[in-house]
Amino acid sequence: PFHVEPRNIVDDDPQERVSAEAAILNSRVHYYGRLTGSSDRLLSPPNHVIPRPEEIYIYSPLGTAFKVTGSDHSSKNPSIITIFAIWNTMMGTSILSIPWGIKQAGFTLGILILIFTGLLMLYCCYVVLKSPKAISYVDTFDWEFPDVCRYYFGKFGQWSSLVFSMVSLIGAMVVYWVLMSNFLYNTGQFIYNYAHNVNMSDSEFGTNGSDKVICPYPNTDPGGNYTSTLYLGNSGNDTSDVGSFEHWWSKTNTIPLYLIILLLPLLCFRSASFFARFTFLGTISVVYLIVLVTVKAVRLGFHLEFHWFDTTQFYVPEFRLLFPQLTGVLTLAFFIHNCIITLMKSNRHQENNVRDLSVAYLLVGLTYLYVGVLIFAAFPSPPLFKDCIEPNFLDNFPSSDVMVFVARTLMLFQMISVYPLLGYLVRVQMMGQIFGNHYPSFLHVLALNISIVGTGVLMARFYPNIGSIIR
């Protein structure tokens, strides 16, 4: 392979001889190749000798040059696609907990922590992205994050990076299971109430009007064991029917088990390419969530009072000692470090990687700020307390809310399609490192999937608090 001028490329026209410059360059490449073996990179051809990928041609002994067809350059993405791919990858379940995190830290301190954490995570991601380029005399083109860690820190770095990657991925899968149980429960509740003409008051601590906001666990009930009250319409249903439905359709007792029937077989698929086709649902869900937040904020208005250190009846101080809970949420919300090298390989203009990464982090930070600030500011205080903001802010809206029902349904389908992808990443990284094979056997994969699903079911049943799980 070597560089040739465009006029010397074989096409439909008669073949032309390769220029002397191209022939000399080809000879230099062969010269470097004879200086050293394939395993020794010390005397490998320097970068100025090797042409760019889009300028690589096949040299014929007859003196003609054929351009390599089907090169990766045609499949590279422009900067705008790369930026939104990073944005879509980071926009996960953490966006639902940002308002709760701001409430825990205080409004002013929460905004400052969000900005600072975003910048810190961007710098760490920049270091990870640049780390393969800083390794001299070694071909790092196909390296991934664990390979870089192994080079700098040995086996300890390789296995520690695997452990922390597993913690983030399995933690995300546990949060997904809790949220899927929540969304499936509320979706089924909405359909049942609509079909049977049931008017349900989720909590007596709620606002009135068309845009109702509720407080599921108000401060006046420290135990949080308030039972919902049902108001039956004129459809003639009796309370036994409703009680039977609630027995078999329970957010913590039955729904997490129902999901096993659907998702456990999907996790055992050898390839996850089928589910990758549905990743566009993530973008649709986040865009709709932003629209939902905007509409709710316009209708509810802003409810803010600034009390710097003192707690009042309805408001929280601007600076709270619970701020580490927000930092825990944000470290996962901005985390993309273990796959940023892979994502950036598909960028068409590699020289713009740092710029595109910075723009992507800017968009992610602005999205988190927009959702977090608007939900916190629009939460109606009084009559409700700011402390009523839930770790999943959609829980502050009743199951009868149509717009929230659509949001829950979209996010449910998105998570069902993404969950097998996360399981595939866990399997590939763990099985590849331990057994040297991504799919050693069906029993190995089944055992791994049962352990992951079992962890999600236990958390959904006994500790369904996504804010605490994420942090």
Side-chain angles (χ1 to χ4, degrees):
F2 59 92
H3 175 272
V4 294
E5 299 175 6
R7 65 183 179 84
N8 296 319
I9 301 173
V10 172
D11 201 352
D12 297 331
D13 300 329
Q15 298 183 0
E16 297 186 33
R17 301 293 298 178
V18 178
S19 65
E21 177 187 357
I24 293 173
L25 184 57
N26 179 62
S27 299
R28 293 174 65 186
V29 172
H30 283 286
Y31 171 74
Y32 278 105
R34 292 183 179 182
L35 285 177
T36 179
S38 59
S39 60
D40 186 3
R41 297 290 179 177
L42 185 61
L43 295 176
S44 59
N47 292 333
H48 69 273
V49 174
I50 304 298
R52 294 192 296 269
E54 62 269 19
E55 297 175 340
I56 292 180
Y57 303 86
I58 298 176
Y59 174 72
S60 168
L62 299 177
T64 54
F66 300 86
K67 184 173 177 57
V68 178
T69 59
S71 65
D72 292 338
H73 179 69
S74 60
S75 61
K76 298 288 186 179
N77 297 323
S79 293
I80 187 67
I81 299 298
T82 302
I83 290 171
F84 278 98
I86 299 173
W87 176 82
N88 189 33
T89 304
M90 274 198 282
M91 283 287 112
T93 57
S94 300
I95 191 173
L96 300 174
S97 297
I98 298 298
W100 173 82
I102 292 178
K103 181 259 296 185
Q104 296 296 92
F107 184 65
T108 301
L109 182 59
I111 294 176
L112 295 177
I113 288 177
L114 195 153
I115 297 173
F116 173 76
T117 305
L119 293 174
L120 179 62
M121 297 293 285
L122 170 61
Y123 175 74
C124 294
C125 199
Y126 162 78
V127 172
V128 172
L129 181 62
K130 285 295 185 181
S131 56
K133 306 289 185 182
I135 301 176
S136 304
Y137 308 117
V138 177
D139 183 12
T140 60
F141 179 77
D142 294 327
W143 280 27
E144 303 292 344
F145 182 62
D147 300 315
V148 177
C149 293
R150 182 179 66 245
Y151 177 85
Y152 284 109
F153 306 108
K155 285 290 184 181
F156 172 78
Q158 178 184 2
W159 287 101
S160 61
S161 66
L162 176 65
V163 169
F164 286 108
S165 179
M166 291 299 100
V167 169
S168 63
L169 288 173
I170 296 177
M173 295 182 73
V174 170
V175 173
Y176 268 49
W177 202 276
V178 175
L179 285 174
M180 285 188 294
S181 301
N182 183 308
F183 294 151
L184 181 59
Y185 168 79
N186 284 285
T187 302
Q189 189 75 51
F190 176 89
I191 296 174
Y192 179 85
N193 292 343
Y194 181 81
H196 293 80
N197 194 24
V198 176
N199 296 319
M200 185 173 184
S201 175
D202 296 85
S203 172
E204 64 180 0
F205 290 91
T207 60
N208 297 320
S210 58
D211 291 285
K212 185 175 183 179
V213 180
I214 63 173
C215 186
Y217 307 108
N219 292 334
T220 54
D221 183 14
N225 295 321
Y226 179 75
T227 303
S228 300
T229 304
L230 292 179
Y231 296 94
L232 303 181
N234 298 325
S235 58
N237 296 316
D238 56 36
T239 55
S240 61
D241 295 335
V242 178
S244 176
F245 173 77
E246 291 184 339
H247 174 75
W248 294 104
W249 197 258
S250 171
K251 183 188 296 185
T252 56
N253 294 331
T254 60
I255 299 297
L257 301 177
Y258 295 158
L259 288 171
I260 298 177
I261 304 173
L262 172 64
L263 292 174
L264 184 58
L266 298 181
L267 287 175
C268 297
F269 280 23
R270 183 179 292 269
S271 174
S273 58
F274 172 77
F275 306 102
R277 302 173 185 176
F278 299 96
T279 53
F280 69 93
L281 290 174
T283 303
I284 297 175
S285 301
V286 174
V287 171
Y288 181 82
L289 203 62
I290 294 174
V291 173
L292 171 68
V293 168
T294 304
V295 171
K296 293 295 183 182
V298 169
R299 292 180 178 177
L300 294 172
F302 286 173
H303 305 268
L304 288 174
E305 283 188 11
F306 294 92
H307 303 274
W308 297 106
F309 300 102
D310 299 327
T311 303
T312 62
Q313 181 180 3
F314 298 104
Y315 297 94
V316 296
E318 300 301 302
F319 299 90
R320 303 183 74 182
L321 296 178
L322 298 175
F323 69 89
Q325 298 182 359
L326 175 61
T327 58
V329 172
L330 291 175
T331 50
L332 183 60
F334 284 110
F335 183 77
I336 198 175
H337 302 62
N338 58 347
C339 61
I340 189 61
I341 297 176
T342 305
L343 284 175
M344 281 304 187
K345 285 180 181 178
S346 62
N347 196 12
R348 181 176 300 170
H349 301 285
Q350 292 292 305
E351 66 276 9
N352 297 332
N353 278 351
V354 175
R355 182 202 67 183
D356 296 344
L357 178 66
S358 303
V359 174
Y361 260 87
L362 175 63
L363 292 178
V364 171
L366 290 177
T367 305
Y368 287 152
L369 267 178
Y370 186 83
V371 173
V373 169
L374 282 190
I375 289 295
F376 182 89
F379 194 81
S381 300
L384 303 181
F385 320 101
K386 291 291 186 183
D387 260 328
C388 287
I389 298 178
E390 289 293 299
N392 173 10
F393 74 84
L394 294 179
D395 287 342
N396 286 114
F397 299 97
S399 58
S400 57
D401 192 308
V402 177
M403 290 192 67
V404 177
F405 163 75
V406 175
R408 286 170 172 149
T409 304
L410 286 175
M411 299 201 71
L412 174 63
F413 283 108
Q414 178 223 349
M415 291 180 182
I416 289 176
S417 64
V418 172
Y419 189 84
L421 289 175
L422 295 177
Y424 176 77
L425 293 176
V426 171
R427 184 214 311 165
V428 167
Q429 294 190 27
M430 184 174 294
M431 296 296 183
Q433 292 291 334
I434 297 176
F435 300 103
N437 188 348
H438 297 166
Y439 203 98
S441 72
F442 176 77
L443 292 179
H444 285 85
V445 174
L446 181 62
L448 173 64
N449 293 336
I450 289 177
S451 62
I452 295 174
V453 169
T455 304
V457 171
L458 291 176
M459 296 299 289
R461 288 203 62 182
F462 301 107
Y463 194 71
N465 189 330
I466 64 168
S468 298
I469 298 173
I470 292 176
R471 68 184 172 86

